[in-house]
Amino acid sequence: MRTRPGRSRLRFRSALIVTTAGVLAAACTAGGGGASGPAAAPGADQAVTVQVWSNFSDRELGIVKEALDKYHGKHTNITIDNQGSQDDDKITQSIRSGNPPDVAISFTTDNIGQFASSGAWQDLKPYIERDKYDLDDIPKAVLDYTEFNGNRVALPMLADVYGLYYNKDLLTAAGLSAPPKTTAELLDYAKKLTVKNPDGSIQVAGFLPQMGFYAFKPQIVGTMFNAQWVDKDGKSSLGKDQGWKDMFTWQKELVDFYGWDNLQKFTAGLGQEYSADNGFHAGKVAMAIDGEYRTAFLADQTPGLNYGTATLPTSKPENHGGGYTTGTIIGIPKGAKNPGAAWDLIKYLTSDTDALVGLANGLHNVPSTKTSLSSPDLKLGDNFKPFLDAFANKNLTSNPASTIGDQYLKIVSDFGVSWQTGTVPDLGKGLADLDKQIDDAKALGK
């Protein structure tokens, strides 16, 4: 779902985008549920204009328009005002000013805790219960990132799933016949696939373990080690969970294999993540973690690359088959003028198989219901299949929603940067310190 840097859901932001008091003060008009129940959809003879805001633009906005036009064809009384290039900040500002769109589409799942706890997005539960919306058709990990503390303020509209990309020619040259399934194998493959120049510098990297580079992010890599973010009481558990210790130890072994200075010099010479000279595209990186959307980049920018895809390697074989997921979310902002019509459109975009398949084919993303995964109309190619399989797997995971948004992810990522450079003397103490930082930040964010 990322077709350029501006689409990145995994970028870190230091400031919270939702100011709770400000949003609630401005969001005191129409709501989803209440004493009178959820708003009704407009009658067939009632002309309504529904304003939809998203951060889609250019070709992608056109793909969304196709889906909206099909909805309009079934509901000719409902005109849709489809506005792109509207990010979460703009949506939040519109709520604060009392003039929000009817439907908000966000690429930033990490903001769901703020949307829910502040009341910025309306509770969809009354609509879901009234219309018997089938939540069971959505994987649990996806349900988790579209609600907060039982407050469902969003539904998924397409998903990103992360897996392993590998250069088939480089694997064959190294005598490797299949992609790695375990993290131990990934470490071994990375060393075997690495080619160094006579001076010891890196010519080809088997796999890049540099925190924050491309898609090497704690929430994705942590999935490979079944690392748990919180304990049963909702407290940060990095210092107590063995998965995090295993992940950082594994990372450091590979960093030390390359040498930190060597690794820095090598990655400094690679192309940007979304450019045609991305390290994997250029054949300078043999294996890489990335989302399903990379298949579209490769088809467009490097059609001759002989590559394959697989689900993420895991530290334990019993956890294999899943992966990390995030995605586009859609909801009704507080103060929406036409909440009943907005819900009817949201229901269509998130549960109608034809609509989801059309969007998935056009945007090269994973459709977000179990039913749509098996549609014969999906035309996404063989290298897309592992992402569909991972999305349907019981081991699919995501990171938890929080009132502090992605601040806790930045805290862990910053630690990972220090750890990989060798400036953290005690891993256990460092992870325990992270727990205090995160829990303190959550306490302030309440």
Side-chain angles (χ1 to χ4, degrees), residues 244-396:
W244 291 111
K245 295 182 178 69
D246 293 343
M247 187 205 85
F248 282 109
T249 301
W250 177 91
Q251 178 208 10
K252 192 65 164 56
E253 180 176 343
L254 191 51
V255 169
D256 290 346
F257 166 76
Y258 288 118
W260 175 240
D261 290 341
N262 265 349
L263 189 61
Q264 273 193 304
K265 290 176 183 176
F266 178 73
T267 55
L270 297 179
Q272 297 296 316
E273 184 173 3
Y274 299 96
S275 67
D277 58 348
N278 171 291
F280 184 77
H281 289 228
K284 295 180 180 179
V285 177
M287 300 179 295
I289 293 172
D290 218 328
E292 81 295 328
Y293 49 80
R294 180 61 57 184
T295 59
F297 279 84
L298 288 164
D300 178 53
Q301 299 172 345
T302 322
L305 186 68
N306 184 22
Y307 78 96
T309 58
T311 52
L312 288 176
T314 54
S315 59
K316 297 179 180 179
E318 62 267 28
N319 294 330
H320 190 257
Y324 174 82
T325 186
T326 182
T328 295
I329 57 176
I330 184 170
I332 306 173
K334 278 290 187 179
K337 297 177 181 64
N338 300 293
W343 164 251
D344 199 66
L345 177 59
I346 289 172
K347 184 168 59 173
Y348 170 78
L349 291 173
T350 61
S351 65
D352 184 274
T353 296
D354 289 341
L356 286 169
V357 168
L359 287 166
N361 285 337
L363 297 172
H364 285 265
N365 298 133
V366 175
S368 43
T369 64
K370 298 173 187 176
T371 300
S372 59
L373 291 178
S374 58
S375 171
D377 296 323
L378 279 175
K379 308 295 182 186
L380 293 164
D382 292 342
N383 276 326
F384 207 92
K385 187 175 184 302
F387 301 100
L388 299 176
D389 291 343
F391 193 73
N393 191 279
K394 66 179 182 178
N395 292 316
L396 185 73

Side-chain angles (χ1 to χ4, degrees), residues 139-316:
K140 182 183 182 303
V142 182
L143 289 176
D144 288 345
Y145 73 63
T146 49
E147 71 172 9
F148 178 70
N149 286 347
N151 187 7
R152 174 159 301 286
V153 298
L155 286 168
M157 192 191 87
L158 302 182
D160 284 338
V161 177
Y162 286 77
L164 184 74
Y165 285 73
Y166 59 96
N167 186 309
K168 289 184 175 181
D169 292 338
L170 293 180
L171 259 69
T172 299
L176 302 169
S177 59
K181 289 187 176 181
T182 67
T183 52
E185 287 179 341
L186 178 58
L187 186 66
D188 180 56
Y189 277 35
K191 294 176 180 179
K192 289 179 178 177
L193 289 163
T194 294
V195 178
K196 295 188 177 181
N197 295 308
D199 64 357
S201 61
I202 303 168
Q203 183 182 124
V204 176
F207 181 82
L208 293 176
Q210 188 170 339
M211 184 63 68
F213 191 82
Y214 290 172
F216 196 91
K217 306 288 199 301
Q219 61 268 51
I220 302 175
V221 184
T223 292
M224 297 160 57
F225 293 85
N226 195 33
Q228 302 300 305
W229 289 96
V230 295
D231 60 22
K232 60 182 178 61
D233 297 318
K235 297 290 187 180
S236 180
S237 62
L238 281 86
K240 301 182 285 288
D241 185 79
Q242 185 62 40
W244 291 111
K245 295 182 178 69
D246 293 343
M247 187 205 85
F248 282 109
T249 301
W250 177 91
Q251 178 208 10
K252 192 65 164 56
E253 180 176 343
L254 191 51
V255 169
D256 290 346
F257 166 76
Y258 288 118
W260 175 240
D261 290 341
N262 265 349
L263 189 61
Q264 273 193 304
K265 290 176 183 176
F266 178 73
T267 55
L270 297 179
Q272 297 296 316
E273 184 173 3
Y274 299 96
S275 67
D277 58 348
N278 171 291
F280 184 77
H281 289 228
K284 295 180 180 179
V285 177
M287 300 179 295
I289 293 172
D290 218 328
E292 81 295 328
Y293 49 80
R294 180 61 57 184
T295 59
F297 279 84
L298 288 164
D300 178 53
Q301 299 172 345
T302 322
L305 186 68
N306 184 22
Y307 78 96
T309 58
T311 52
L312 288 176
T314 54
S315 59
K316 297 179 180 179

